[in-house]
Amino acid sequence: MQSIRRGLKRKDRGGEEEEEYQAGLNQFQAAVRKRESIRLKLQMGSAPGLLEKEIQNKIKIEESVCQGTAKFLSACKNQAQSLEAAKNLLLGNLRVDMLRFELNKLRRGRGSPVVKKGNPSYAAVSLSDIRIPLLWRPKDHMEDTGDNRKFAMFCIVRVGSQIYDTALVSPVDRNNTDVTFNDVLLFSKMPPYFELKLEVYSYLLTDPVTSAHAKLVKTLSKAVGTLQKVVLKEQNDENASLPKKKSSRPGPQYDLLGTATLRLEDAGEEVRPHELFLEDSENDRLPPMFGQFCCRLAVQPYCREEPVLVGSLSVRYPLNERYSGGRWAENCWARLMDFKLCLWQSLEQYEAARSPSKQIRIDQDTTIRDAGDIFTVENYGEGIIELKCDTKENKVMWLAHLYQHACDHKRWKSASQDRMEVLSPDTRPVTRTKSMMTRTRSKLVLLYNETKI
């Protein structure tokens, strides 16, 4: 009896180890996604030659990762590890293809960054709260004749060469009304015309047809005599001797469930439903789905959080203004950010983080004119504000950024009017379970929690 209890304890501990493994893996992947988004944002001002070299190095790294994953997959004996390795191999091959496409586009000159005054603003895009409902019928919940299939599911989300995956959810069966992915995917340097493509993959863990056939053969073999058993065995040996078609890729092969494309019009602060285009709804290897999914897509242009241009300006307000009364206010400090031109009376007030003395709205309805030595900014219902720079070069630079900032307000649509919170990949430490408290030298904890990013 004591040996049985010890065996049960070991079994429970193994389940906790799998949970620790998956939790640590999810944390590690979230940290990698966060580091990758920061790296891509820092690449915005890179020269074409440097950017080409970085893409080539990235291709070499991804190819080596794919080769190592393929070797690991061929030696895998654990189903959880083989599923995770097959997912990483699929993701790595897709990244290599898209990086090569970006490299060819850069070499042709179409993807090279153009350095000019008044560059258009890019944005950070986050995708979270992905939830996919499942379409189980009432008869699927029957104990004996119902649908007893189990699946493993995950998503791949990509924009260009930025390709990320969610955690693997397994098992998914008739007891699940929906599949929820708690991952937060962050994309950097997105233009207003971005198209975010979501792909849902699944793998059939248990085949009900095969299991029912095995039960039938077992029942018949018990009912018939020894002679019938020999005949069945000979037939099975003949079938086993037939040449089997080998797959070109080792390990589990995931099936594409459906795809969806999200754009700027789909962004918002709340979770919204979207249409999921199913690839093959009649395939028995795929879980039943509604053709809908929910997610939260948030977009935040960089110009809303980072200054576009900062410098000194001379300002003359309308006669009814109390600041200068028609006279020029020299050496005012100006900052163009968040579709506003904020003015301080001096640089000292700006550095002291005081509130600006004047805020001028810069949006698609703002009229900006070049009037010789000065330039003017006018909004409906407000007076004309005149601005002057100390040099002609500064004036050209301010005009270019003001024009571009007003154009960005129109291009970013709802993202320029409503502030959305862009989430970051969660890198919080893994919640320590009871087994992790007792076994402080756990290799699973050391593998992922002490990996340097």
Side-chain angles (χ1 to χ4, degrees):
M1 191 67 182
Q2 292 180 356
S3 62
I4 296 176
R5 291 177 179 175
R6 285 196 298 268
L8 291 175
K9 288 182 179 179
R10 285 196 296 269
K11 186 176 180 180
D12 294 338
R13 184 179 298 176
E16 291 180 358
E17 286 182 355
E18 290 186 359
E19 292 179 1
E20 294 172 24
Y21 170 80
Q22 192 63 41
L25 180 62
N26 294 342
Q27 181 195 2
F28 177 76
Q29 291 175 344
V32 171
R33 286 195 291 266
K34 188 172 184 178
R35 182 190 64 178
E36 184 69 11
S37 63
I38 295 174
R39 186 186 67 82
L40 290 171
K41 185 179 179 181
L42 295 177
Q43 278 185 355
M44 290 178 60
S46 300
L50 182 60
L51 189 59
E52 181 178 347
K53 186 177 180 180
E54 290 179 353
I55 294 178
Q56 289 176 347
N57 294 335
K58 188 69 175 176
I59 292 176
K60 292 180 181 178
I61 293 174
E62 292 293 341
E63 286 179 344
S64 62
V65 169
C66 289
Q67 293 174 1
T69 305
K71 293 180 181 179
F72 175 76
L73 186 58
S74 60
C76 268
K77 296 182 179 179
N78 184 281
Q79 187 184 43
Q81 293 179 353
S82 61
L83 287 173
E84 193 69 39
K87 178 171 77 81
N88 293 333
L89 184 59
L90 176 64
L91 182 70
N93 290 329
L94 187 58
R95 281 177 174 170
V96 170
D97 294 339
M98 294 309 299
L99 284 171
R100 286 175 178 170
F101 175 77
E102 290 292 331
L103 183 60
N104 293 333
K105 188 171 67 173
L106 185 65
R107 287 173 175 174
R108 291 195 301 267
R110 293 170 51 193
S112 58
V114 180
V115 179
K116 62 179 182 179
K117 297 179 180 178
N119 283 327
S121 176
Y122 293 101
V125 178
S126 70
L127 182 69
S128 60
D129 302 300
I130 304 175
R131 196 169 186 175
I132 304 175
L134 301 176
L135 183 60
W136 299 106
R137 297 167 297 180
K139 65 178 182 180
D140 291 336
H141 295 275
M142 300 292 291
E143 185 66 26
D144 297 327
T145 61
D147 194 342
N148 59 353
R149 294 178 298 169
K150 294 183 180 181
F151 302 89
M153 296 178 60
F154 74 98
C155 297
I156 289 181
V157 188
R158 56 192 175 104
V159 183
S161 60
Q162 299 187 48
I163 306 174
Y164 302 112
D165 62 329
T166 64
L168 188 68
V169 178
S170 174
V172 177
D173 55 16
R174 60 187 178 184
N175 297 320
N176 300 95
T177 57
D178 53 36
V179 183
T180 302
F181 301 95
N182 298 320
D183 305 79
V184 177
L185 307 179
L186 179 61
F187 298 86
S188 302
K189 197 183 174 184
M190 291 290 103
Y193 49 86
F194 72 89
E195 290 187 351
L196 187 145
K197 188 174 183 180
L198 181 138
E199 300 173 348
V200 185
Y201 291 88
S202 72
Y203 175 73
L204 181 60
L205 298 175
T206 58
D207 193 351
V209 177
T210 304
S211 59
H213 179 69
K215 291 179 181 179
L216 181 60
V217 171
K218 186 176 180 180
T219 304
L220 290 176
S221 64
K222 289 182 179 180
V224 299
T226 307
L227 181 61
Q228 293 293 333
K229 288 184 180 180
V230 174
V231 173
L232 289 174
K233 185 177 180 181
E234 291 177 355
Q235 291 179 355
N236 291 333
D237 293 339
E238 291 177 359
N239 294 331
S241 62
L242 295 176
K244 295 182 180 179
K245 184 179 179 181
K246 294 184 179 180
S247 176
S248 59
R249 293 180 297 174
Q253 305 300 317
Y254 287 96
D255 299 310
L256 180 61
L257 276 176
T259 59
T261 303
L262 301 178
R263 300 177 179 85
L264 178 60
E265 293 78 11
D266 302 314
E269 185 64 25
E270 303 296 332
V271 177
R272 296 180 179 179
H274 306 280
E275 187 173 0
L276 182 68
F277 296 95
L278 302 180
E279 294 294 325
D280 187 4
S281 59
E282 301 297 330
N283 194 343
D284 293 336
R285 294 183 56 84
L286 305 181
M289 306 182 71
F290 276 100
Q292 296 283 329
F293 76 102
C294 301
C295 70
R296 179 184 180 272
L297 181 68
V299 179
Q300 180 174 282
Y302 293 139
C303 62
R304 301 206 68 171
E305 295 292 331
E306 302 173 359
V308 177
L309 188 61
V310 178
S312 177
L313 285 176
S314 297
V315 187
R316 184 163 65 180
Y317 301 102
L319 293 176
N320 57 350
E321 292 279 353
R322 61 181 178 87
Y323 300 101
S324 61
R327 295 178 289 104
W328 284 98
E330 303 289 342
N331 298 324
C332 291
W333 198 256
R335 183 191 67 189
L336 183 62
M337 186 182 75
D338 195 16
F339 306 107
K340 293 189 293 288
L341 180 63
C342 299
L343 300 171
W344 288 264
Q345 295 182 359
S346 63
L347 175 61
E348 290 74 16
Q349 291 186 359
Y350 171 77
E351 293 178 344
R354 295 188 178 181
S355 299
S357 58
K358 180 70 174 179
Q359 291 187 3
I360 306 173
R361 179 166 44 91
I362 306 294
D363 55 21
Q364 56 183 338
D365 299 324
T366 303
T367 304
I368 304 170
R369 294 190 180 93
D370 184 3
D373 295 335
I374 64 174
F375 55 96
T376 62
V377 176
E378 181 182 4
N379 290 301
Y380 180 77
E382 302 177 4
I384 300 176
I385 298 177
E386 299 176 341
L387 304 169
K388 183 170 63 175
C389 299
D390 51 356
T391 61
K392 185 177 180 180
E393 290 77 12
N394 288 341
K395 176 199 164 187
V396 172
M397 181 175 60
W398 272 102
L399 274 174
H401 283 85
L402 284 170
Y403 285 139
Q404 186 61 57
H405 205 55
C407 183
D408 287 338
H409 186 273
K410 181 179 180 179
R411 295 172 62 183
W412 283 112
K413 301 177 183 178
S414 60
S416 62
Q417 301 172 5
D418 304 325
R419 187 177 293 273
M420 308 177 194
E421 182 183 3
V422 173
L423 303 178
S424 179
D426 189 7
T427 56
R428 291 177 296 179
V430 180
T431 304
R432 297 177 65 87
T433 61
K434 185 177 180 180
S435 62
M436 295 170 66
M437 294 293 187
T438 56
R439 296 182 294 110
T440 57
R441 299 296 298 174
S442 172
K443 294 182 180 180
L444 295 171
V445 178
L446 295 175
L447 177 61
Y448 292 111
N449 291 356
E450 296 186 4
T451 302
K452 302 300 181 182
I453 302 300

